Amino acid sequence: MEASRALATRVPVAVLGATGYTGVELLRLLARHPAVELAFLSSDIYPFLAGIVETALRAPEPAEVAAAAEIVFTALPHAAAAPVVAELVRRGRRVIDLSADFRFRDAAVYARWYTAHPAPELLAEAVYGLPELYRTRLRDARIVACPGCYPTGALLGLVPLARAGLLREPVIIDAKSGTTGAGRGARVEQLFAEVNENFRPYAIGEHRHGPEIDQELHAAGATRGALFVPHLLPVSRGLLSTMYVRIAGGRPPLEELFERAYGSEPFVVLRGEQAPPELREVRGTNRCAIGWRWDGASGQAIVVTAIDNLGKGASGQAVQCLNVMLGLPETAGLEAPALVP
């Protein structure tokens, strides 16, 4: 669809799963999007959206959803999303899926980390929803698989090095996320008293985003995988990743590699060797801030990225993918500055 038509007519979209944090962030962004009409919503709406989002809530019946919307966002749990996506695609709709159901190209890998895949026949055509890497394929995609938040921060920092053939040794990814990254479900470890004034690693060697990171690093040219350790920060939103890359042969041209990869990207801020990225500069935005250092004594590049796990790590990125699919400026509906303080 051409940008002029999209802006003139407003494209009807649906959001399935508006109860979770990613779902409500989608509603917050789409409610002010100049080319979108919220035509169908399922699940609950937060009170702060009263008077802004007035669309009635309905059960996510695929036939009704397909009749109401041209593009559907699915923010449903893993394994629950795939059958819905399959039916919507069968009915001629395009889907932006925020679950893990279509991120893996290999159904066996998905089964190892989640469950048997409900629609393995669709995996080959799903496009990984990281516009900075797959923009051309996203334009005509029927299924967009939005990346996880940890993979987004890690891949944007590491892919330029992988493409240059510099990831020949295992990479260490030391990543820290706000509590919304774990979803809205009630769990003891997510209670305020457990998180406040505390900081801890979790799922060491067992996090489901690890194989997703490895898949995309190998696709970019890496010959080894990553050692990924996630941590839980006592903040609501934000994700900071510090990555250690051992490189033989002396200092690589880091500035040149990142400038070549992202110099014209609207949502990537290259901090270089200035003050390293911080969470507060990306909170509430779709931006990724990237900084780097070279440590000659150890022969390592240290790359730091900061994103909002609900923004560039989830819902903001989904809206960016929507803009690519519709031929709109990628910044449409995503121009807001960071939430500071």
Side-chain angles (χ1 to χ4, degrees):
M1 181 181 297
E2 296 181 357
S4 57
R5 175 177 175 262
L7 286 169
T9 61
R10 287 186 174 266
V11 177
V13 304
V15 177
L16 308 187
T19 300
Y21 291 132
T22 56
V24 75
E25 183 74 355
L26 269 172
L27 297 185
R28 186 179 73 85
L29 296 171
L30 294 172
R32 64 186 183 194
H33 195 292
V36 161
E37 173 195 354
L38 284 169
F40 189 104
L41 304 178
S42 74
S43 301
D44 301 329
I45 302 299
Y46 282 47
F48 76 84
L49 290 172
I52 300 172
V53 177
E54 299 292 355
T55 307
L57 300 175
R58 288 171 277 177
E61 169 57 43
E64 189 177 358
V65 176
E70 291 184 23
I71 295 182
V72 181
F73 294 89
T74 49
L76 301 170
H78 71 266
V84 176
V85 172
E87 182 61 23
L88 288 169
V89 168
R90 190 184 72 79
R91 293 177 179 274
R93 295 298 172 253
R94 304 173 76 186
V95 182
I96 301 172
D97 182 37
L98 284 84
S99 80
D101 283 0
F102 293 94
R103 294 173 186 165
F104 293 99
R105 298 180 180 91
D106 188 336
V109 175
Y110 177 90
R112 177 184 171 192
W113 292 91
Y114 293 90
T115 185
H117 200 283
E121 70 280 2
L122 294 176
L123 291 178
E125 76 163 282
V127 178
Y128 199 67
L130 196 50
E132 290 77 9
L133 304 186
Y134 294 107
R135 178 174 286 111
T136 302
R137 291 185 58 201
L138 284 169
R139 290 170 183 154
D140 298 318
R142 292 198 305 169
I143 302 172
V144 173
C146 280
C149 52
Y150 282 122
T152 295
L155 294 170
L156 288 175
L158 292 174
V159 162
L161 280 68
R163 287 174 172 170
L166 297 175
L167 298 192
R168 300 189 183 96
E169 299 291 334
V171 176
I172 296 174
I173 303 172
D174 181 10
K176 299 99 172 169
S177 175
T179 60
T180 53
R184 199 184 173 205
R187 290 180 248 175
V188 171
E189 63 267 25
Q190 295 291 103
L191 295 174
F192 177 81
E194 302 295 326
V195 175
N196 186 48
E197 298 186 50
N198 193 15
F199 179 57
R200 65 175 184 266
Y202 67 101
I204 299 174
E206 300 176 350
H207 199 285
R208 291 165 166 172
H209 286 175
E212 186 181 334
I213 293 171
D214 284 347
Q215 170 185 271
E216 295 304 317
L217 286 181
H218 287 305
T223 58
R224 301 289 293 274
L227 175 59
F228 166 57
V229 181
H231 301 71
L232 188 67
L233 287 170
V235 301
S236 295
R237 54 198 294 169
L239 194 160
L240 191 140
S241 302
T242 303
M243 290 153 288
Y244 303 87
V245 185
R246 188 174 300 280
I247 298 174
R251 180 185 180 118
L254 296 172
E255 183 173 357
E256 178 184 334
L257 294 177
F258 282 105
E259 183 65 33
R260 184 189 308 154
Y262 306 128
S264 61
E265 290 294 341
F267 294 113
V268 178
V269 180
L270 297 178
R271 300 293 299 276
E273 297 189 4
Q274 303 172 22
E278 302 179 15
L279 293 186
R280 67 177 180 174
E281 70 180 283
V282 297
R283 186 170 180 264
T285 78
N286 192 52
R287 298 190 192 98
C288 175
I290 305 178
W292 57 82
R293 295 284 194 281
W294 170 252
D295 184 71
S298 64
Q300 292 189 92
I302 297 99
V303 181
V304 182
T305 65
I307 64 172
D308 185 323
N309 59 288
L310 295 179
K312 186 60 174 166
S315 303
Q317 184 141 266
V319 174
Q320 185 183 357
C321 289
L322 171 75
N323 290 337
V324 174
M325 295 163 74
L326 294 177
L328 296 169
E330 289 182 37
T331 55
L334 296 169
E335 302 93 341
L339 300 174
V340 178

